[in-house]
Amino acid sequence: TGYIFRSGFSGTFGIVSNHQVDTFSFSMEGYRTEKLLVNAEEYVNVRMKLLPAAASHTRRDKLASLTKDLEKEVQKSWLTGEETYASILENQFINARRYPNTGMSLNVDRASYSNIRRFITLKSFVPPDAVRIEEMLNYFSFDYQEPEDGNLFRVRTTLSDCPWNPANQLYYINFSSKKLDLDSLPPSNLVFLVDVSGSMDMTNRLPLLKSAFRLLVNNLREKDSVAIVVYGGVTGIMLNSTSGKEKEKIIKAIDELTPGGNTPGESGIRLAYRVARNHFIKEGNNRVILATDGDFNVGMKTEEELDELITQQKESGIYLTCLGVGMGNYKDSKIQTLAKKGNGNFAYLDNFKEAEKVLLKEFTQTLYAIADDVYMNVEFNPDFVKEYRLIGFDNKVGALRDSLSVVEGGEIGSGHSMVAMFEIVPADHARASSKDPAASGRFATIKLRYKLPESSQELYFNNTSPYAFTPFTQLDTCYRFSSAVAMFGSLLRHSPYLKNAGWNEVIALAEHSCYKDDLLQKEFISLLHQARLLYGKTKKKKGGERNGE
C-alpha cells in the first residue's frame, strides 16, 4: 500500500488489510528487516535480529540537543511517568557540576508556531508533539543587532528572574547572524518541487502554494533561475530552468498547475535534484523547494531509504527548503525530518499572510544560508549554576533510546535573530550574588561550531558570558516577550514545570511586553486569548477555577 505503520510503546499493534493473506515488512534501525507472509486469522509474533555492531549503513537518529557525558540510563529515566504521552520528550533539569556542557542544533525553522496558530484558529486542541518551543521563539525577530567587526554572528546574554518560578532564574542567549547585501547575493538556481496530487485540491493547499510561489518569483533577478518539477498523476518537468527576468513565463507555468492523482514523492525528489544538479551554480545558491501537504507516498521505497536519498543529495551542495500546507501533526514531523536531512529549513504556510512573511519579508533568511551545521555549545560555571534546563530543543523519544543517535547542526540564514533560554537553579553563591550588583565572574562559555556554505572545514566562534543579573522588571522588552512565548508553548505541552502559572499570567506578561506597532506580537496576544477560551473549558478544578480559567 505504501503506508508506513508505527507501533506503540509495547510494540503491539494491528493493521487493516483488504487481503486475508499478505506480505508484511518489519523494520527498525539497527535490526535486519524481516519480510513475512501473514494470514489475517493468525496472531503474528515477529522477532528481529540485530545487525552487526560495525554495520556502517546503520542510520542514526538526529538529536536536537545533547548534554556531554550524560549517560543514556539517566535519560531513560525521563521516559517514565504518565505525563510523557507525546513522541517529543521535554528536557529536564541537569546537574551542572556533573554535566556542565550542553548544546543544541540551531536553525531558522518556524513551522511549529504557524501550525499551532492553525489548530487554535480552527478551535482545535494542539497535539503536544506539534509544539516545538525553539521554533515558536524563532518566529519572532527579537531585537536584531548586526554582528560587529565583520563577524558572522553576534551573541548577547543576560540573566534574570524566572517569571513562573521565583526560586529560579532565566538565562537568555540572543543570537544574530550577519545580513547579506541584497545587491551582492550570489545567483540562485531554484527548483520548485510541487505536490500536485489529488489531496492538494483544497483552497489552503495548492492554490495557497501557487500564491506563495508568485510572491517568491517577484523577488528574483535576471541572474537567478527557476525550474518547476511536479509529482502527482504524473512526475515531470513543468518548466525548464528559466531566468528570473522572465517572470511572466514562470508565473504562467505556476498558474497552470492542477491537482490530481497519487503521490509518487520519491520519483519527484530524484527528478528535482537531477534538474538542480544539471544547472548547478558553483558558489551560488542551489536549492530545491519542496511544497506539499505531507501526504507523502514514497513508492516502493521505505522511509529509511528516502531519508538516505535526501542525505546523499545534501552532499552535492544542494539545499532543501520545505513548505508545508494543510497537514496534520504526523506529516508535519515527516517533512521537518526531510528538511533537516536535506541541509535546509521548514516553514508551515497556514494562510497567505504567512506565505508573504516567509517568502517576501524573510526572503533572504529562508533562501540564503550564511552558515551550515551550526551547533551552539554552552558550558556553565557550577559556582553560579546548580542545575539547568534547556527550554525547547526537545528530543524525540526514539532518538533518546537509540544508543547511536547523534546531534547535527542546522542551517542559519541571512539576518536571522533568535533567543534560546535556560531555566536555572542557582547555586547558593549565585543567590547571594543576585542581590549584589557588583558581583562578577564567568557565568558560562558559549561556543558556536559551523561551516561556511560549500565548505567542509569546521569553524568556531567563542563568547564568554559574564555573570550579570538584571531584575525581570528591568529587562529589555524583547526578553520579557520571549518569556511569554516560552510559557505559551509550555502550557500547550502541559509542562510540569509551569505549575505556578496559567493563561492569565501569560497574557498579562505578553500584553505588558508587546511592541504596540508589531503586528505579529499583537496577533500573538489574540492567539493567547483564543487559547485560554479553548483550554479553559477543560481545565476546571474542583471547588472553583484555576488561574482565572
Side-chain angles (χ1 to χ4, degrees), residues 116-165:
I116 288 167
R117 181 174 60 203
R118 175 177 67 95
F119 277 111
I120 292 176
T121 302
L122 294 174
K123 296 182 172 54
S124 297
F125 293 109
V126 182
D129 196 22
V131 180
R132 297 185 287 273
I133 292 176
E134 70 278 12
E135 291 183 22
M136 297 173 67
L137 290 167
N138 265 347
Y139 191 83
F140 302 91
S141 185
F142 290 115
D143 193 24
Y144 175 83
Q145 293 191 16
E146 183 77 19
E148 300 171 323
D149 305 323
N151 290 319
L152 272 186
F153 307 113
R154 179 171 185 160
V155 174
R156 293 175 298 142
T157 61
T158 191
L159 182 72
S160 187
D161 309 293
C162 179
W164 58 83
N165 187 345

Side-chain angles (χ1 to χ4, degrees), residues 223-239:
K223 63 182 178 179
D224 301 325
S225 63
V226 168
I228 300 177
V229 173
V230 298
Y231 64 95
V234 293
T235 299
I237 301 172
M238 283 287 292
L239 179 72

Side-chain angles (χ1 to χ4, degrees), residues 103-121:
M104 66 219 75
S105 171
L106 303 186
N107 56 57
V108 298
D109 293 349
R110 308 174 178 87
S112 181
Y113 181 84
S114 47
N115 199 19
I116 288 167
R117 181 174 60 203
R118 175 177 67 95
F119 277 111
I120 292 176
T121 302

Side-chain angles (χ1 to χ4, degrees), residues 69-89:
D69 300 325
L70 185 64
E71 298 97 336
K72 289 288 177 182
E73 291 307 312
V74 174
Q75 288 174 297
K76 282 179 181 176
S77 69
W78 297 1
L79 304 175
T80 58
E82 291 297 318
E83 299 85 2
T84 307
Y85 53 86
S87 68
I88 294 177
L89 186 65

